[in-house]
Amino acid sequence: MKKIILLSVMMLAALAASAQQRNNVVPSFAGAVEDFKPNVTNQRGHQYPMVNSQGAVRAQLRAPQANSVQLDIGGRRYEMVKDENGVWTGTSEPQDVGFHYYQLNVDGASVPDPGTIYFFGAGRWGSGIEIPSADMDFWQVKNVPQGALEEKYYWSKATESMRHCFVYLPAEYQKNPNKKYPVLYLQHGNAEDENGWGSQGHTAQILDNLIAEGKAVPFIVVIDYGQSQNIHLVGQYAPAPQPAPQPAQQGQRQANTGPDAFQVVLLTDIIPMVEREYRVIADAQHRALAGLSMGGMQTRRITIANPTTFAYVGQFSGGTISVEDVQGAAGFKQTNKLVFMSSGSKENPRVMEAAEALKGIGMNAVGYISEGTAHEWHTWRRSLYQFAQLLFK
Amino acid sequence: MKKIILLSVMMLAALAASAQQRNNVVPSFAGAVEDFKPNVTNQRGHQYPMVNSQGAVRAQLRAPQANSVQLDIGGRRYEMVKDENGVWTGTSEPQDVGFHYYQLNVDGASVPDPGTIYFFGAGRWGSGIEIPSADMDFWQVKNVPQGALEEKYYWSKATESMRHCFVYLPAEYQKNPNKKYPVLYLQHGNAEDENGWGSQGHTAQILDNLIAEGKAVPFIVVIDYGQSQNIHLVGQYAPAPQPAPQPAQQGQRQANTGPDAFQVVLLTDIIPMVEREYRVIADAQHRALAGLSMGGMQTRRITIANPTTFAYVGQFSGGTISVEDVQGAAGFKQTNKLVFMSSGSKENPRVMEAAEALKGIGMNAVGYISEGTAHEWHTWRRSLYQFAQLLFK
């Protein structure tokens, strides 16, 4: 419970800071080194936005009649300046390496930058920019055997609707029609959706490259939508009306392992669909659950509530599993092969102590810190890169 | 040649009209029936843009400091009006049924509408809206056996780069590990890319539904990128320098069957990759080529230049194949099982005569007119729906 409160407080603080900084309008960054290059997530043929060697972002927009245009990134709004052709240009302070959501603000309207392709996150489809990192090679498209990322619809009994997921199949899947594979179920964070891991997360590239180098065994990845407040359970699957919550008594852990809507859909629909439609080894030893941020917290709740269903557990910037969690969940320790907990170094890196504590009771626990990154996608790509090498071995 | 000139003139006229109408700023449509509903391509939770029973589009944008906001759709810019909260609202005249690209203009900046999801077309990622049609059921996601749309990278020898395509696999593909399937290669139009057919084209849904109803046999669809001026051939694949073109002599057909870059990549890389990576019947009788607009013109050039490679040919709003084309291409008639040519009723519907002419020399030719639509995606979805029912039977 303490951890959930801590994490909730951290998230609320981050949201409040972000809301405050919305009004944090600052001048365009004047200290930029003039070695800007086009951003790698630009639309074909677009020069802007650009990124320089410091990680500063320079955006441009033609808006001849506008009164004010701002570059809104990293919690600040940088004032852009208009030239004689009506083209506005502005530069941000240096950003962390990796992927960031951002937008432009034109006379009070927050709009996507027409220069980039678009990503779902922060609750909307909008612009994203990539600050190159020294280690970005691991998620590039390379000339190695290529798996495929399938877009797949399926019928959900629990919601009585068609749902939508992505399924990564390793390169050898189509060549070995009799071989069965382990599965990682991999979840997004709050205000994101099932598009993130395949797009800004580069899941297929990370896995293709690791498998080609012999660093990971081939496995399937299933990426679904987990924002429980938007998942409407029906009939027997809808939760019964709950009594008003009681304050937890001293020393008593509040029940926080009850199913949320995503847990119901995962167990009722997603896993059965995958085990029916794909060649899968359908047991706990070949089943992993991981997620980032909210998806990591869901991973904890679901694996503790279903302690013999998943042998591999990953929480990327998404809280930790405690010794008490394990001890309160009969069969978890016997089933589990790995608890992996990660965090950006600019987040609260309690994952290392949490891993040490689990090792103390004989678990295989791994903590991982992504250096120089915060609660963002480069932390999570690196986490997947590390986690994938430990799975199903 | 006449047909190419005619088509080019039509396209130039359309472009010129579109450029002229860019300056065609008109008041918000005052005659709208007030039965607006949220557009089906809206982002989750967004009410606007909306569409009414007349096919009028109503957009909204909050831009308190803006001087002018316009809804830019169908070649017109509708002036939006600001309320006391800084929210601009504007309504278009009725649009044709089906899918349309559009954007908002804020003080001279053309930007995507933050209300919709985004599509690639008209040379950019941007907003798209769906005007419901009486027949839209055929492309809906339904509870029928679902195929998958795979995103796939592969090495291209002809460009010495990794390329990117989408592959539709019918629902039964994964269940029949020894069965081989026919393949349709399906191309986009000018200023579009490989995303269109799977997204606004709804290829997977059209095929899943047809196969479930027994109206189409299961086949694979491969959707690649064909904008030849952006395909950079290298080494032995690069075209030799060409002599300056000579004016065609009277009565002599200008050679227009020479390879363009897409043709080289299709024959060198795409088809071999598909026949290597998927379970495919690798002969002309089980291979179709089709495309919309520019993709239809490429289909004509490629199938005439390679007359024994594809037995099924489809041109959707993309010109026609003539009796002279067939007679000049040795083996085309003997190999061909179907020439399908379609057009929106608001385009130039010469496809019917062209089909009659081919029937006159004993070909299986089909013309199809999409009622009430122009050079847009609903014409092409309907064309695929018709064409798919005639393939590989």
Side-chain angles (χ1 to χ4, degrees), chain B residues 48-347:
Chain B
Y48 285 87
M50 291 191 171
V51 179
N52 78 355
S53 58
Q54 300 165 294
V57 173
R58 179 166 290 170
Q60 258 194 7
L61 184 74
R62 188 172 181 280
Q65 286 89 48
N67 303 307
S68 162
V69 182
Q70 298 163 341
L71 165 61
D72 182 357
I73 187 168
R76 297 218 165 111
R77 290 182 169 187
Y78 298 89
E79 291 285 9
M80 296 166 72
V81 175
K82 187 163 74 166
D83 71 11
E84 65 276 17
N85 300 314
V87 176
W88 297 74
T89 305
T91 308
S92 80
E93 287 156 25
Q95 308 293 310
D96 289 342
V97 295
F99 179 88
H100 310 285
Y101 302 116
Y102 80 101
Q103 51 263 321
L104 301 180
N105 188 288
V106 185
D107 286 341
S110 277
V111 294
D113 183 341
T116 73
I117 60 174
Y118 303 124
F119 304 87
F120 190 81
R124 89 291 183 268
W125 283 94
S127 290
I129 198 156
E130 184 73 36
I131 309 298
S133 64
D135 66 342
M136 68 193 289
D137 184 68
F138 76 89
W139 57 264
Q140 301 301 305
V141 176
K142 296 181 191 177
N143 186 10
V144 299
Q146 294 286 313
L149 188 70
E150 289 201 347
E151 185 175 8
K152 179 84 180 172
Y153 288 86
Y154 61 92
W155 176 252
S156 157
K157 287 189 294 187
T159 63
E160 290 183 2
S161 67
M162 296 300 289
R163 283 178 55 93
H164 180 242
C165 68
F166 291 93
V167 179
Y168 166 79
L169 299 175
E172 63 164 62
Y173 185 86
Q174 304 291 6
K175 312 258 175 186
N176 293 288
N178 298 311
K179 186 172 169 185
K180 295 185 169 186
Y181 292 85
V183 183
L184 163 62
Y185 297 87
L186 183 61
Q187 287 302 115
H188 60 81
N190 184 40
E192 299 185 323
D193 73 7
E194 71 275 27
N195 290 282
W197 272 113
S199 179
Q200 57 267 45
H202 297 285
T203 294
Q205 288 71 51
I206 292 171
L207 271 289
D208 285 344
N209 293 342
L210 280 174
I211 294 167
E213 293 173 37
K215 292 181 177 169
V217 301
F219 57 86
I220 294 171
V221 185
V222 176
I223 304 166
D224 210 301
Y225 180 67
Q227 198 85 40
S228 286
Q229 70 269 34
N230 293 335
I231 298 176
H232 304 298
L233 302 176
V234 298
Q236 64 172 303
Y237 300 102
Q242 297 292 314
Q246 302 297 318
Q249 290 173 26
Q250 183 70 21
Q252 182 196 338
R253 287 179 58 79
Q254 186 81 355
N256 51 26
T257 53
D260 67 6
F262 172 67
Q263 175 175 324
V264 174
V265 168
L266 177 66
L267 299 175
T268 305
D269 293 316
I270 300 172
I271 293 175
M273 179 279 286
V274 169
E275 296 182 351
R276 193 171 62 238
E277 299 261 334
Y278 297 91
R279 297 190 313 276
V280 162
I281 312 172
D283 63 32
Q285 295 307 306
H286 299 88
R287 202 182 284 131
L289 181 60
L292 71 89
S293 192
M294 177 190 81
M297 292 185 272
Q298 289 175 313
T299 294
R300 173 180 167 276
R301 286 184 67 183
I302 293 170
T303 57
I304 295 297
N306 300 273
T308 61
T309 303
F310 304 89
Y312 296 85
V313 176
Q315 297 180 277
F316 310 160
S317 305
T320 55
I321 283 176
S322 68
V323 169
E324 295 74 25
D325 285 335
V326 171
Q327 287 170 343
F332 185 97
K333 185 178 168 188
Q334 293 70 28
T335 303
N336 186 269
K337 295 279 189 187
L338 172 68
V339 175
F340 177 94
M341 297 169 288
S342 70
S343 168
S345 67
K346 297 189 173 187
E347 302 184 86

Side-chain angles (χ1 to χ4, degrees), chain A residues 57-279:
Chain A
V57 173
R58 179 166 289 170
Q60 258 193 7
L61 183 75
R62 186 169 183 282
Q65 287 89 48
N67 303 307
S68 161
V69 182
Q70 299 163 339
L71 166 60
D72 182 358
I73 187 169
R76 295 217 167 112
R77 290 182 169 187
Y78 298 89
E79 290 285 9
M80 297 168 71
V81 175
K82 186 164 75 165
D83 71 11
E84 65 275 15
N85 299 315
V87 176
W88 297 75
T89 304
T91 308
S92 80
E93 288 156 24
Q95 307 293 310
D96 291 343
V97 295
F99 178 88
H100 310 284
Y101 302 115
Y102 79 102
Q103 51 264 322
L104 301 181
N105 188 287
V106 184
D107 285 341
S110 278
V111 293
D113 183 341
T116 73
I117 60 173
Y118 304 123
F119 303 88
F120 190 81
R124 89 290 183 269
W125 283 95
S127 291
I129 198 156
E130 184 73 36
I131 310 298
S133 64
D135 66 341
M136 68 193 288
D137 184 68
F138 77 89
W139 57 263
Q140 301 302 305
V141 175
K142 296 182 190 176
N143 186 8
V144 299
Q146 295 286 313
L149 188 70
E150 289 200 347
E151 186 175 7
K152 179 84 180 170
Y153 288 86
Y154 61 93
W155 175 253
S156 157
K157 287 189 293 185
T159 63
E160 290 182 2
S161 67
M162 296 299 291
R163 283 178 55 93
H164 180 243
C165 68
F166 291 94
V167 179
Y168 166 79
L169 299 175
E172 63 163 61
Y173 184 87
Q174 304 291 8
K175 311 259 174 183
N176 293 287
N178 298 310
K179 187 172 169 185
K180 295 184 170 186
Y181 292 85
V183 183
L184 163 61
Y185 297 86
L186 183 61
Q187 287 302 116
H188 60 81
N190 185 40
E192 299 184 325
D193 72 7
E194 71 274 28
N195 290 282
W197 271 112
S199 178
Q200 56 268 45
H202 296 285
T203 294
Q205 288 70 52
I206 292 170
L207 270 290
D208 285 343
N209 293 341
L210 280 174
I211 294 167
E213 293 173 36
K215 291 181 176 170
V217 301
F219 57 86
I220 293 170
V221 185
V222 176
I223 304 166
D224 210 301
Y225 180 67
Q227 198 87 37
S228 286
Q229 72 268 33
N230 292 336
I231 299 175
H232 305 297
L233 302 177
V234 297
Q236 62 171 304
Y237 301 102
Q242 297 292 311
Q246 301 298 317
Q249 289 174 26
Q250 184 70 22
Q252 183 199 338
R253 287 179 59 79
Q254 185 81 355
N256 51 26
T257 53
D260 67 6
F262 172 67
Q263 175 177 323
V264 174
V265 169
L266 177 66
L267 299 175
T268 306
D269 294 317
I270 302 173
I271 293 176
M273 180 278 286
V274 169
E275 297 183 350
R276 193 173 60 238
E277 299 261 334
Y278 298 92
R279 298 190 311 276

